[in-house]
């Protein structure tokens, strides 16, 4: 159910990509539209780690689990570079734009988890938490030499591992491969989630107390570290043109800072007892999305993109060509008069999520009836 909630929220930001609205701003509506979707990637990656532990206990064979993780990870990377790249852009100019997005990152993290699952659960906990909490030391250690590192002969590797950014591949003179989600700290998030999965095997009462302790402790630690600018992100300072609460909550996502992870994972974990007890129509809808996450993801981007093209043809036909640019990282400037209102953004989001519910429900029913091997990859 929690994973389904992350999927539904994710649609808001991906509709925003094609709406022309900026990724955040100084007004509450614009800022919160982007900020609320920050919970999606951390929750999805963390609970993907949980799923890996639970799936491995079904297999009871470390070698089989490692093979499954390698194959599924490679499949996700391939989907990112082909199907999803086309869904984002609606163009086939692959030579000038390729994207390493969230599915790319998930795929490589699963491949790395094929090694980490061979280690004890407590080792994954230590490794994951150390990487999540400690990676913000890297900019402090290298200081101004970060640009020199990313421009060096191994700069492409540094960008994939940590810094992100554009890489020139295939002899290109300009960057044509753009890393949006680096592997650090996300492999740490998945590894920590893998260790967290052991808590789900405990008795409900004890489990809930641990959820509240970890979730509440993460929120409290975020508030203290952020308020006093101690560690974990770039400092925030009140500025006349920006409300203080926006500056306070505006943490770094690329790469995801320690404070970003505390701010997002803390509430998600603290809400787990509620999600376990929730019932009703909304709970059923979220559960359907949570059971078919990749199927949902593969459908929602082209659906959102197609709806945006249809709206543009009706509303701003002269600007429709913008929707065939290199979204979401390298589009051209938003054409004059194209930008949507927040009301239209949320209306389209609700429409897309409603349509996807019926498609995902049918697919979930199909998966429940069949045991074909390939279904575990979708």
């Amino acid at each position: 159910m929690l994973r389904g909630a992350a999927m539904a929220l994710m649609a808001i930001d991906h509709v925003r990509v094609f709406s022309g609205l900026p990724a955040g701003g100084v007004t509450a509506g614009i800022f919160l539209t982007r900020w609320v979707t920050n919970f999606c990637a951390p929750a999805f990656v963390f609970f993907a780690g949980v799923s890996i532990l639970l799936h491995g206990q079904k297999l009871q064979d470390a070698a089989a689990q490692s093979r499954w993780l390698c194959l599924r990870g490679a499949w996700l990377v391939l989907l990112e570079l082909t199907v999803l790249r086309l869904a984002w852009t609606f163009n086939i100019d692959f030579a000038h734009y390729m994207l390493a997005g969230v599915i790319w990152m998930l795929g490589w993290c699963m491949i790395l988890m094929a090694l980490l699952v061979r280690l004890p659960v407590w080792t994954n906990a230590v490794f994951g938490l150390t990487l999540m909490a400690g990676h913000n030391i890297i900019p402090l250690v290298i200081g101004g030499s970060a640009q020199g590192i990313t421009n060096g002969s191994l700069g492409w590797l540094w960008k994939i591992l940590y810094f992100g950014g554009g890489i020139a591949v295939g002899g290109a003179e300009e960057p044509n491969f753009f890393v949006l989600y680096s592997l650090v700290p996300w492999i740490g998030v998945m590894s920590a989630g893998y260790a967290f999965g052991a808590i789900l095997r405990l008795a409900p009462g004890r489990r809930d107390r641990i959820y509240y302790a970890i979730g509440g402790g993460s929120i409290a630690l975020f508030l203290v570290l952020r308020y006093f600018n101690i560690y974990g992100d770039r400092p925030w300072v009140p500025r006349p043109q920006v409300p203080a609460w926006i500056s306070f909550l505006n943490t770094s996502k690329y790469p995801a800072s320690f404070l970003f992870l505390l701010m997002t994972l803390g509430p998600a974990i603290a809400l787990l007892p509620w999600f376990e007890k929730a019932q009703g129509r909304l709970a059923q809808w979220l559960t359907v999305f949570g059971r078919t996450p990749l199927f949902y993801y593969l459908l929602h981007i082209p659906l959102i993109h197609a709806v945006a093209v249809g709206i543009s043809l009706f509303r701003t036909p002269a600007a429709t060509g913008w929707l065939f640019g290199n979204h979401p990282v390298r589009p051209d400037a938003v054409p004059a008069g194209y930008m949507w209102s927040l009301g239209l953004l949320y209306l389209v989001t609700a429409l897309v999520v409603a349509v996807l519910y019926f498609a995902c429900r049918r697919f979930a029913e199909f998966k429940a009836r069949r045991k074909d091997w390939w279904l575990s990859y979708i």
Side-chain angles (χ1 to χ4, degrees):
M1 199 184 304
L2 180 57
R3 186 163 58 188
M7 303 305 294
L9 284 176
M10 186 185 301
I12 297 173
D13 193 48
H14 294 165
V15 172
R16 181 203 58 77
V17 168
F18 298 109
S19 73
L21 288 165
V26 298
T27 61
I30 296 293
F31 176 81
L32 290 175
T33 294
R34 169 65 168 172
W35 182 82
V36 72
T37 65
N38 285 336
F39 291 83
C40 301
F44 198 80
V45 176
F46 187 80
F47 288 99
V50 172
S51 295
I52 290 171
L53 178 77
L54 300 178
H55 185 267
Q57 290 178 342
K58 292 179 182 179
L59 294 176
Q60 296 181 342
D61 182 351
Q65 186 180 22
S66 292
R67 285 194 301 270
W68 179 79
L69 285 168
C70 284
L71 287 172
R72 183 170 174 81
W75 171 237
L76 292 179
V77 171
L78 178 63
L79 286 175
E80 181 76 82
L81 299 180
T82 55
V83 175
L84 291 171
R85 189 265 176 215
L86 183 61
W88 278 115
T89 64
F90 281 3
N91 71 58
I92 56 173
D93 187 14
F94 284 74
H96 293 94
Y97 177 74
M98 295 288 286
L99 176 67
V102 66
I103 300 299
W104 150 283
M105 174 270 291
L106 278 167
W108 281 111
C109 285
M110 285 188 171
I111 292 171
L112 293 173
M113 285 300 300
L115 300 175
L116 292 172
V117 295
R118 302 297 188 98
L119 303 175
V121 169
W122 69 266
T123 306
N124 275 273
V126 171
F127 170 77
L129 292 174
T130 299
L131 205 58
M132 290 167 62
H135 79 91
N136 280 111
I137 294 175
I138 295 175
L140 299 177
V141 172
I142 63 176
S145 62
Q147 186 173 359
I149 290 175
T150 55
N151 289 337
S153 59
L154 292 178
W156 62 272
L157 182 59
W158 273 102
K159 289 178 180 180
I160 290 173
L161 291 178
Y162 187 66
F163 291 103
I167 303 170
V169 299
E173 295 183 0
E174 298 291 333
N176 57 354
F177 183 82
F178 297 90
V179 179
L180 186 60
Y181 282 85
S182 57
L183 300 187
V184 176
W186 294 109
I187 181 57
V189 175
M190 188 175 286
S191 182
Y194 177 82
F196 183 84
I199 299 173
L200 273 70
R201 314 293 293 187
L202 302 177
R206 184 182 178 194
R207 190 169 64 214
D208 289 354
R209 289 192 294 272
I210 295 175
Y211 292 159
Y212 290 134
I214 295 176
S218 298
I219 295 170
L221 184 59
F222 164 75
L223 293 173
V224 171
L225 293 179
R226 188 60 168 163
Y227 183 80
F228 293 104
N229 282 324
I230 297 172
Y231 171 77
D233 208 322
R234 61 181 183 272
W236 73 283
V237 277
R239 292 177 291 171
Q241 66 273 29
V242 182
W245 66 270
I246 288 182
S247 296
F248 185 84
L249 293 176
N250 188 25
T251 52
S252 302
K253 185 178 181 180
Y254 305 110
S257 69
F258 179 45
L259 293 185
F260 178 90
L261 296 174
L262 289 175
M263 178 184 74
T264 52
L265 286 175
I269 293 171
L271 285 173
L272 275 174
W274 181 85
F275 276 103
E276 289 189 353
K277 298 176 179 64
Q279 296 179 346
R281 183 63 59 86
L282 178 60
Q284 294 172 0
W285 278 51
L286 295 180
T287 300
V288 167
F289 293 143
R291 287 175 176 166
T292 57
L294 182 57
F295 182 77
Y296 174 100
Y297 195 94
L298 291 174
L299 289 184
H300 91 292
I301 295 174
L303 177 59
I304 290 169
H305 200 166
V307 170
V309 170
I311 290 173
S312 183
L313 288 172
F314 175 78
R315 180 173 169 267
T316 53
T320 304
W322 179 76
L323 290 166
F324 294 83
N326 292 328
H327 298 277
V329 174
R330 301 283 287 182
D332 295 330
V334 181
Y338 173 86
M339 191 176 295
W340 297 5
S341 66
L342 279 175
L344 180 57
L345 184 155
Y346 281 102
L347 177 62
V348 171
T349 300
L351 173 66
V352 166
V353 172
V355 169
L356 288 172
Y357 166 75
F358 295 102
C360 291
R361 187 179 70 180
R362 293 293 296 271
F363 185 67
E365 292 169 351
F366 176 77
K367 287 183 70 174
R369 295 193 305 267
R370 303 286 293 270
K371 300 299 180 183
D372 304 63
W373 64 269
W374 57 270
L375 287 173
S376 66
Y377 293 88
I378 298 178

